[in-house]
Amino acid sequence: MNPSVVLFTSDLRLHDHPPLRAALETAPEVVPLFVRDPAVDRAGFAAPNRLAFLADCLTDLDAGLRARGGRLVVRQGDTVAEVRALVREVDADEVHMAAGYSAFARERERRLRHALESDGRRLYVHDGVITVLPAGEVTPAGGADHYALFTPYYRRWSGVPLRSPAPAPRTVRVPAGVRSEAVPSRADVPSVSEGLAVGGERAGRERLTAWMARQVDAYQDRHDDLAGDATSRLSPYLHFGALSAAEVVHKARAAGGAGAEAFVRQVCWRDFHHQVLNARPDIATEDYRPRHDRWRHGKGAEADLRAWQEGRTGYPLVDAAMRQLAYEGWMHNRGRLLAASFLTKTLYLDWRLGARHFLGLLVDGDVANNQLNWQWVAGTGTDTRPNRVLNPVLQARKYDPDGAYVRRWVPELADLEAPSIHEPWKLAPHERASGDYPEPVVGLADGLARFRRARELD
Ligand code: FAD
């Protein structure tokens, strides 16, 4: 039998990898392929932080394959043209890849299938590789193509038996003489956030093991503690598929307990958003549930957007979160909720502006989770309470009670204690540690009144 090609996309791992497994079962040799496609950059998916993390993942994947007698083949160009050329070079009969759910991924898959079939080759697309369950596997009674609400989805999702995660293959034989470009290196990516995590399957598995052993039990009680930083930070590894989402859930269920179940519920949100995106690819740019917003624009709106992006709104918790994002390329979920609520509701600026800024920096940034979380917060998505507004001072008292998170990220306020650290505008000028910290861009009552008027709630 001829060799097979395994096309890696958002599934950069060797453990629990159904496409690689299927290829190894039928072909004596496989070509593990990654294509650096400029269309990904043009579509706006390639931000420096994600490119750097991707480089780590590819380097690690190559090392893992080499340890098993193989190696990674990297090509640059249009994915369809590159796969087709490689298939002809090695005379492969089959190509295996993971199903993707964005409009971009589905169009790529359609074009690839067409090209390969017209050459007499076969494309096998394996579902449920980047998510726990295939998007669209569970649908509501009554014929709708996706769940619009999380809780009933979670109930059904929880009842579906999981496949057992497969181990990594012991050996991978790659045909000799296949040309490859150099595996990308993080060192070649400019403008990367200083505190960006290290990517790759090995780093992801280490983090997963440590998380399950030491922290998951406390997740339910501590996941909102901003300074405690007590969430898993597995999102970038899941985003690039350096970890299998199915394996993560498997391990958490095996660990058991309230913390593990609360953690699995969060991982289910990821599947939930993928099944919405699969059914409604337009939500990447369009409102899932339009509220007929006439978002602010003009000079004042632009200045407010800039203040928010730079972490200079004058609201310490919002600013701390935005500065964490810039420094780490990652932000705590509670920070994301607050920063997004502040932009869309208190400042009444279009969620797409916020989503674009996040996608420019987030190492875990993806269309399904970023756009749909933004829409959830803006009230144009799947939230059943679309007009809730988070108050940054109340949120600070609850989730950063002694101000440690603000002190970590906003050095201008580092000498202040709670409660004044959360409301520095109440201090007399001589009581403020540093004169550099800005006054609030808008009063909370004014912001709230503007939002309620715009949504015609009064
Ligand atoms: P944990 O709390 O440890 O959760 C475990 C895993 O569950 C995460 O790694 C993630 O894969 C998943 N998860 C948790 N919460 C959510 C959620 N609300 N939606 C979807 N999946 C979730 N997550 C992304 O992966 N990519 C994004 O681009 C993204 N953008 C967001 C934008 C906004 C405005 C908001 C409010 C949230 C966004 N999230 C996004 C969801 C969430 O904030 C991150 O997944 C989480 O903070 C990652 O940290 P963690 O791995 O420590 O999460």
Side-chain angles (χ1 to χ4, degrees):
M1 169 135 189
N2 294 346
S4 291
V5 171
V6 178
L7 175 63
F8 285 85
T9 55
S10 302
D11 50 349
L12 304 176
R13 62 176 183 268
L14 295 174
H15 290 79
D16 195 36
H17 196 284
L20 179 61
R21 227 181 153 68
L24 288 168
E25 267 165 22
T26 52
E29 294 181 313
V30 302
V31 185
L33 171 69
F34 183 82
V35 181
R36 250 316 254 121
D37 188 336
V40 175
D41 305 26
R42 283 199 299 274
F45 297 151
N49 288 338
R50 288 196 296 284
L51 287 177
F53 200 90
L54 170 70
D56 287 352
C57 289
L58 294 175
T59 303
D60 190 53
L61 183 61
D62 184 46
L65 286 163
R66 284 180 189 275
R68 290 166 174 83
R71 70 196 164 95
L72 182 66
V73 169
V74 179
R75 298 270 169 105
Q76 171 118 13
D78 170 58
T79 302
V80 175
E82 293 301 322
V83 174
R84 195 177 204 181
L86 178 66
V87 161
R88 286 177 180 163
E89 270 167 61
V90 300
D91 198 19
D93 290 327
E94 299 176 354
V95 174
H96 293 261
M97 71 182 292
Y101 304 116
S102 65
F104 180 90
R106 285 161 61 179
E107 174 59 11
R108 176 176 62 191
E109 184 186 309
R110 191 196 61 72
R111 286 179 50 230
L112 187 57
R113 184 182 301 285
H114 178 76
L116 291 174
E117 285 178 359
S118 50
D119 286 355
R121 327 278 173 161
R122 289 200 65 176
L123 175 68
Y124 291 91
V125 177
H126 299 258
D127 217 342
V129 178
I130 67 167
T131 45
V132 179
L133 296 185
E137 175 158 321
V138 294
T139 49
D145 59 359
H146 71 287
Y147 276 91
L149 292 178
F150 175 73
T151 306
Y153 176 75
Y154 173 59
R155 226 176 281 130
R156 279 286 308 285
W157 181 93
S158 300
V160 178
L162 283 189
R163 64 179 153 84
S164 298
R170 283 174 182 225
T171 52
V172 178
R173 292 184 45 207
V174 177
V178 181
R179 178 184 63 78
S180 175
E181 293 181 21
V183 176
S185 155
R186 170 190 282 231
D188 298 333
V189 184
S191 314
V192 174
S193 291
E194 227 172 296
L196 188 74
V198 173
E201 183 175 19
R202 180 206 285 254
R205 294 189 77 77
E206 281 170 10
R207 182 171 283 280
L208 176 63
T209 304
W211 169 251
M212 290 298 170
R214 292 198 289 274
Q215 283 180 291
V216 73
D217 285 346
Y219 182 77
Q220 193 178 18
D221 299 331
R222 297 198 54 215
H223 69 273
D224 268 331
D225 171 2
L226 276 158
D229 203 2
T231 66
S232 69
R233 287 182 176 253
L234 291 174
S235 53
Y237 303 95
L238 289 167
H239 171 72
F240 284 95
L243 285 177
S244 147
E247 186 181 356
V248 168
V249 168
H250 218 269
K251 289 213 155 104
R253 283 189 180 150
E261 191 45 48
F263 170 72
V264 167
R265 192 172 191 277
Q266 284 315 111
V267 179
C268 180
W269 271 103
R270 187 173 172 273
D271 269 29
F272 173 72
H273 288 145
H274 278 98
Q275 57 99 44
V276 177
L277 179 67
N278 187 47
R280 288 277 310 273
D282 62 308
I283 64 82
T285 51
E286 302 305 315
D287 290 336
Y288 180 73
R289 290 203 177 96
R291 305 281 175 203
H292 311 293
D293 286 297
R294 277 158 300 142
W295 303 108
R296 288 169 62 221
H297 54 264
K299 283 216 161 27
E302 282 164 24
D304 286 354
L305 175 64
R306 229 173 7 256
W308 176 83
Q309 289 170 332
E310 290 168 1
R312 294 187 58 77
T313 65
Y315 288 95
L317 201 63
V318 174
D319 294 341
M322 295 304 292
R323 295 180 195 195
Q324 178 178 30
L325 174 64
Y327 184 81
E328 293 191 7
W330 184 89
M331 192 198 286
H332 192 287
N333 181 59
R334 182 50 52 185
R336 297 188 204 204
L337 289 166
L338 177 62
S341 171
F342 191 82
L343 186 83
T344 55
K345 289 174 168 166
T346 307
L347 296 179
Y348 197 55
L349 294 175
D350 192 342
W351 64 266
R352 294 165 192 81
L353 299 172
R356 190 182 309 146
H357 180 73
F358 268 35
L359 273 188
L361 287 165
L362 276 179
V363 62
D364 60 24
D366 62 48
V367 177
N369 291 311
N370 192 55
Q371 311 308 83
L372 282 165
N373 271 298
W374 268 97
Q375 294 219 39
W376 191 90
V377 178
T380 62
T382 59
D383 188 7
T384 48
R385 290 172 54 204
N387 297 316
R388 72 173 105 193
V389 179
L390 300 182
N391 176 315
V393 178
L394 298 182
Q395 293 276 306
R397 283 190 203 142
K398 199 160 170 197
Y399 301 116
D400 187 32
D402 64 6
Y405 181 72
V406 169
R407 266 192 299 282
R408 187 178 306 157
W409 293 109
V410 187
E412 304 97 292
L413 304 177
D415 293 336
L416 298 181
E417 301 290 332
S420 20
I421 190 167
H422 296 311
E423 299 174 89
W425 57 87
K426 286 191 172 167
L427 297 171
H430 72 273
E431 292 174 308
R432 297 185 197 175
S434 150
D436 287 347
Y437 191 67
E439 293 293 318
V441 281
V442 63
L444 293 179
D446 293 342
L448 184 61
R450 175 171 59 194
F451 173 68
R452 292 187 63 82
R453 266 199 314 278
R455 286 266 168 105
E456 296 177 358
L457 300 174
D458 291 323

